[in-house]
């Protein structure tokens, strides 16, 4: 395969669905929901921009099966009470130009946004910046059924697939991690037990959507925390996923627990988890997607050409250049211009990128970096307003 072709060859998933190229917009929490869990015109435009920009698939981060454990008040909620027509419109806009639009099935667990939830995780936590209740056995066993019901609604609304979120410290990631899962029942202890809820969720979703609908999983290579999920345990999860009905394994890493350093805020120049992906390739023949740290076309090409991964997941690069796949196909912009921030507070860089998504959705993005403090302030003010709306809508 010639260098110019490697990223733009098609890929057939095990379920039979074909991705038109090897470039995905990996899941991000865009915070563009209206505060009632419903998609907005701004989201329609954002995902249309990425579809028109040439991605094979976009993944919408943190779509909740219920409003009880959301990561942010801008998350979407898709259940039997949702206005399905608004989701159908989002699916149509994000599926143009041969792109697929997938929804990520989320549950924030211990990281649920406290102003609108009562966080619950695998085990009770009482840390200075993180407290939650432990889930009951009934609540655990209900989760795969909730994911399956939402996945069926995703399918009925015209979306192209789902991704089950088991990374970044959210609920299924918490179950995988011995640092946060202290259970002594069938869902705790060995990695075989800790991955049980993830495997049950996959099985329940597959039963509901049938054999021809893509199911992906986002998995941590490690928690990057002492005592958390390590690479050896993560490889055992990969081996188990190989025997499951998943169509794509998206490898990432790190957590969003308070004080933990996000891999995306690092200064590294290459893909963060490529060495783990090499190990994972020996454990599975499933298509592998790698997310995190891709900054240049050459890095993306090298990863796919090597056979280590099949799909490259881009997030911040596509926030800086929404049409990057088209530009790469036209041999333009080998590397977007990434802004540099000095002494950014925790969460500040994420806030800046999130507010840039708002500009893209309004077709108002510019090449100016702008003021980080202002972006953080606008991000916080918007969250506060949507928290009020969420509380009135779901609790009123």
């Amino acid at each position: 395969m010639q260098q110019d072709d490697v990223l733009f060859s098609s890929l057939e998933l095990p379920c039979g669905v074909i991705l038109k190229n090897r470039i995905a917009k990996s899941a991000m929490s865009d915070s563009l929901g209206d505060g009632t869990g419903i998609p907005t015109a701004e989201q329609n435009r954002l995902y249309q921009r990425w579809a028109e920009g040439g991605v094979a698939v976009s993944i919408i981060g943190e779509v909740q099966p219920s409003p009880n454990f959301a990561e942010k008040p801008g998350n979407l909620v898709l259940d039997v009470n949702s206005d399905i027509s608004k989701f159908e419109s989002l699916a149509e806009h994000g599926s143009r130009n041969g792109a697929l639009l997938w929804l990520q099935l989320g549950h924030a667990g211990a990281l649920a946004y406290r102003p609108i939830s009562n966080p619950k995780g695998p085990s009770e936590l009482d840390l200075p910046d993180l407290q939650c209740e432990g889930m009951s056995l009934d609540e655990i066993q209900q989760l795969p059924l909730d994911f399956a019901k939402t996945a069926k609604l995703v399918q009925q609304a015209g979306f192209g697939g789902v991704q089950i979120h088991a990374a970044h410290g959210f609920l299924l990631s918490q179950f995988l991690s011995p640092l946060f899962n202290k259970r002594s029942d069938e869902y705790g202890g060995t990695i075989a037990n800790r991955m049980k809820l993830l495997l049950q969720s996959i099985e329940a979703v597959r039963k509901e959507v049938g054999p021809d609908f893509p199911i992906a999983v986002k998995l941590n290579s490690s928690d990057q925390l002492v005592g958390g999920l390590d690479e050896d345990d993560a490889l055992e999860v990969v081996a188990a996923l190989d025997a499951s009905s998943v169509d794509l394994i998206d490898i990432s890493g790190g957590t969003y627990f308070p004080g933990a350093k996000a891999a995306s805020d690092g200064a590294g120049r290459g893909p963060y988890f490529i060495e783990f992906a090499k190990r994972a390739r020996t454990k599975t023949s499933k298509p592998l997607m790698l997310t995190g740290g891709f900054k240049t076309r050459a890095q993306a090409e090298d990863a796919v050409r090597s056979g280590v991964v099949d799909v490259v997941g881009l997030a911040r690069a596509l926030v800086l250049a929404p049409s990057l796949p088209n530009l790469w196909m036209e041999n333009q912009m080998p590397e977007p211009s990434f802004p540099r921030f000095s002494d950014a507070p925790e969460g500040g860089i994420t806030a800046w990128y999130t507010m840039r998504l708002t500009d893209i959705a309004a077709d108002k993005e510019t090449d100016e970096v702008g003021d980080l403090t202002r972006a953080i302030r606008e991000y916080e003010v918007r969250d506060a307003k949507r928290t009020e709306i969420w509380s009135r809508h779901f609790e009123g």
Side-chain angles (χ1 to χ4, degrees), residues 146-170:
D146 291 342
F147 279 159
K149 290 175 183 176
T150 294
K152 187 63 176 179
L153 292 171
V154 170
Q155 186 180 40
Q156 291 172 345
F159 292 94
V162 293
Q163 182 184 76
I164 298 173
H165 196 0
H168 297 165
F170 295 114

Short mmCIF file of all heavy atoms in Angstrom, two decimals, residues 146-170:
data_model
loop_
_atom_site.label_atom_id
_atom_site.label_comp_id
_atom_site.label_asym_id
_atom_site.label_seq_id
_atom_site.Cartn_x
_atom_site.Cartn_y
_atom_site.Cartn_z
N ASP A 146 -29.96 -1.51 30.97
CA ASP A 146 -30.15 -0.09 30.63
C ASP A 146 -29.34 0.28 29.40
O ASP A 146 -29.83 0.99 28.51
CB ASP A 146 -29.74 0.79 31.81
CG ASP A 146 -30.68 0.67 33.01
OD1 ASP A 146 -31.81 0.18 32.81
OD2 ASP A 146 -30.27 1.04 34.12
N PHE A 147 -28.09 -0.17 29.34
CA PHE A 147 -27.28 0.08 28.15
C PHE A 147 -27.94 -0.52 26.91
O PHE A 147 -27.96 0.10 25.84
CB PHE A 147 -25.88 -0.54 28.32
CG PHE A 147 -24.92 0.29 29.11
CD1 PHE A 147 -23.80 -0.30 29.71
CD2 PHE A 147 -25.08 1.65 29.27
CE1 PHE A 147 -22.89 0.45 30.43
CE2 PHE A 147 -24.17 2.42 30.00
CZ PHE A 147 -23.08 1.81 30.58
N ALA A 148 -28.47 -1.72 27.05
CA ALA A 148 -29.09 -2.39 25.90
C ALA A 148 -30.32 -1.64 25.40
O ALA A 148 -30.53 -1.49 24.19
CB ALA A 148 -29.47 -3.82 26.28
N LYS A 149 -31.14 -1.14 26.32
CA LYS A 149 -32.33 -0.38 25.92
C LYS A 149 -31.94 0.89 25.17
O LYS A 149 -32.56 1.24 24.16
CB LYS A 149 -33.16 -0.03 27.16
CG LYS A 149 -33.85 -1.22 27.81
CD LYS A 149 -34.56 -0.81 29.10
CE LYS A 149 -35.18 -2.00 29.80
NZ LYS A 149 -35.79 -1.63 31.10
N THR A 150 -30.91 1.57 25.68
CA THR A 150 -30.47 2.79 25.00
C THR A 150 -29.85 2.45 23.65
O THR A 150 -30.07 3.16 22.66
CB THR A 150 -29.47 3.56 25.88
OG1 THR A 150 -30.16 4.04 27.04
CG2 THR A 150 -28.88 4.75 25.14
N ALA A 151 -29.09 1.37 23.57
CA ALA A 151 -28.49 0.97 22.29
C ALA A 151 -29.57 0.70 21.25
O ALA A 151 -29.39 1.04 20.07
CB ALA A 151 -27.62 -0.27 22.49
N LYS A 152 -30.66 0.10 21.65
CA LYS A 152 -31.75 -0.15 20.71
C LYS A 152 -32.35 1.16 20.21
O LYS A 152 -32.65 1.30 19.01
CB LYS A 152 -32.84 -1.00 21.38
CG LYS A 152 -33.94 -1.44 20.41
CD LYS A 152 -33.38 -2.34 19.30
CE LYS A 152 -34.47 -2.86 18.38
NZ LYS A 152 -33.91 -3.70 17.30
N LEU A 153 -32.49 2.14 21.10
CA LEU A 153 -32.99 3.46 20.68
C LEU A 153 -31.98 4.14 19.75
O LEU A 153 -32.38 4.82 18.79
CB LEU A 153 -33.24 4.33 21.92
CG LEU A 153 -34.40 3.89 22.82
CD1 LEU A 153 -34.40 4.71 24.11
CD2 LEU A 153 -35.73 4.04 22.09
N VAL A 154 -30.69 3.96 20.02
CA VAL A 154 -29.64 4.48 19.13
C VAL A 154 -29.83 3.92 17.73
O VAL A 154 -29.79 4.65 16.73
CB VAL A 154 -28.24 4.12 19.68
CG1 VAL A 154 -27.16 4.43 18.65
CG2 VAL A 154 -27.97 4.86 20.99
N GLN A 155 -30.03 2.63 17.65
CA GLN A 155 -30.23 1.96 16.37
C GLN A 155 -31.48 2.46 15.67
O GLN A 155 -31.47 2.78 14.48
CB GLN A 155 -30.29 0.45 16.59
CG GLN A 155 -30.35 -0.39 15.33
CD GLN A 155 -30.42 -1.87 15.67
OE1 GLN A 155 -31.12 -2.28 16.60
NE2 GLN A 155 -29.69 -2.69 14.92
N GLN A 156 -32.58 2.58 16.40
CA GLN A 156 -33.85 3.01 15.82
C GLN A 156 -33.79 4.46 15.34
O GLN A 156 -34.48 4.82 14.38
CB GLN A 156 -34.96 2.84 16.86
CG GLN A 156 -35.29 1.39 17.17
CD GLN A 156 -36.26 1.23 18.32
OE1 GLN A 156 -36.50 2.16 19.09
NE2 GLN A 156 -36.84 0.03 18.46
N ALA A 157 -32.95 5.28 15.98
CA ALA A 157 -32.85 6.68 15.59
C ALA A 157 -31.98 6.90 14.36
O ALA A 157 -31.90 8.02 13.85
CB ALA A 157 -32.30 7.50 16.76
N GLY A 158 -31.31 5.84 13.88
CA GLY A 158 -30.54 5.96 12.65
C GLY A 158 -29.05 6.17 12.84
O GLY A 158 -28.34 6.46 11.86
N PHE A 159 -28.55 6.03 14.06
CA PHE A 159 -27.12 6.13 14.27
C PHE A 159 -26.42 4.87 13.76
O PHE A 159 -27.04 3.83 13.58
CB PHE A 159 -26.80 6.33 15.75
CG PHE A 159 -27.24 7.67 16.29
CD1 PHE A 159 -28.48 7.82 16.89
CD2 PHE A 159 -26.43 8.78 16.17
CE1 PHE A 159 -28.90 9.04 17.38
CE2 PHE A 159 -26.84 10.02 16.65
CZ PHE A 159 -28.08 10.15 17.26
N GLY A 160 -25.10 4.97 13.56
CA GLY A 160 -24.37 3.88 12.93
C GLY A 160 -23.80 2.85 13.87
O GLY A 160 -23.32 1.81 13.42
N GLY A 161 -23.81 3.10 15.19
CA GLY A 161 -23.23 2.15 16.12
C GLY A 161 -23.17 2.73 17.52
O GLY A 161 -23.60 3.86 17.77
N VAL A 162 -22.61 1.94 18.45
CA VAL A 162 -22.42 2.40 19.82
C VAL A 162 -21.01 2.05 20.27
O VAL A 162 -20.36 1.15 19.74
CB VAL A 162 -23.43 1.75 20.80
CG1 VAL A 162 -24.85 2.22 20.51
CG2 VAL A 162 -23.34 0.23 20.79
N GLN A 163 -20.56 2.79 21.26
CA GLN A 163 -19.30 2.47 21.94
C GLN A 163 -19.60 2.39 23.43
O GLN A 163 -20.21 3.30 24.00
CB GLN A 163 -18.23 3.53 21.70
CG GLN A 163 -16.89 3.18 22.36
CD GLN A 163 -15.84 4.27 22.21
OE1 GLN A 163 -15.90 5.30 22.89
NE2 GLN A 163 -14.89 4.06 21.30
N ILE A 164 -19.18 1.31 24.07
CA ILE A 164 -19.34 1.14 25.51
C ILE A 164 -18.09 1.70 26.19
O ILE A 164 -16.97 1.29 25.89
CB ILE A 164 -19.56 -0.34 25.86
CG1 ILE A 164 -20.85 -0.85 25.21
CG2 ILE A 164 -19.61 -0.54 27.37
CD1 ILE A 164 -21.07 -2.34 25.35
N HIS A 165 -18.30 2.66 27.10
CA HIS A 165 -17.19 3.40 27.69
C HIS A 165 -16.67 2.67 28.93
O HIS A 165 -17.33 2.62 29.96
CB HIS A 165 -17.68 4.80 28.07
CG HIS A 165 -16.58 5.78 28.34
ND1 HIS A 165 -15.25 5.45 28.26
CD2 HIS A 165 -16.61 7.10 28.70
CE1 HIS A 165 -14.51 6.53 28.53
NE2 HIS A 165 -15.32 7.53 28.82
N ALA A 166 -15.46 2.11 28.82
CA ALA A 166 -14.82 1.42 29.93
C ALA A 166 -13.43 2.00 30.18
O ALA A 166 -12.48 1.28 30.52
CB ALA A 166 -14.74 -0.08 29.67
N ALA A 167 -13.30 3.32 30.01
CA ALA A 167 -12.00 3.98 30.16
C ALA A 167 -12.15 5.26 30.99
O ALA A 167 -13.24 5.64 31.41
CB ALA A 167 -11.41 4.31 28.78
N HIS A 168 -11.00 5.88 31.25
CA HIS A 168 -10.90 7.23 31.80
C HIS A 168 -11.52 7.40 33.19
O HIS A 168 -11.83 8.51 33.60
CB HIS A 168 -11.51 8.25 30.83
CG HIS A 168 -10.80 8.32 29.53
ND1 HIS A 168 -11.32 8.92 28.41
CD2 HIS A 168 -9.58 7.83 29.16
CE1 HIS A 168 -10.46 8.80 27.41
NE2 HIS A 168 -9.40 8.14 27.84
N GLY A 169 -11.68 6.30 33.91
CA GLY A 169 -12.13 6.42 35.28
C GLY A 169 -13.62 6.49 35.48
O GLY A 169 -14.08 6.71 36.60
N PHE A 170 -14.41 6.32 34.41
CA PHE A 170 -15.86 6.29 34.58
C PHE A 170 -16.28 4.88 35.01
O PHE A 170 -15.45 4.01 35.25
CB PHE A 170 -16.54 6.77 33.30
CG PHE A 170 -16.23 8.21 33.00
CD1 PHE A 170 -15.48 8.59 31.89
CD2 PHE A 170 -16.66 9.22 33.86
CE1 PHE A 170 -15.17 9.91 31.64
CE2 PHE A 170 -16.37 10.56 33.61
CZ PHE A 170 -15.62 10.91 32.50
#
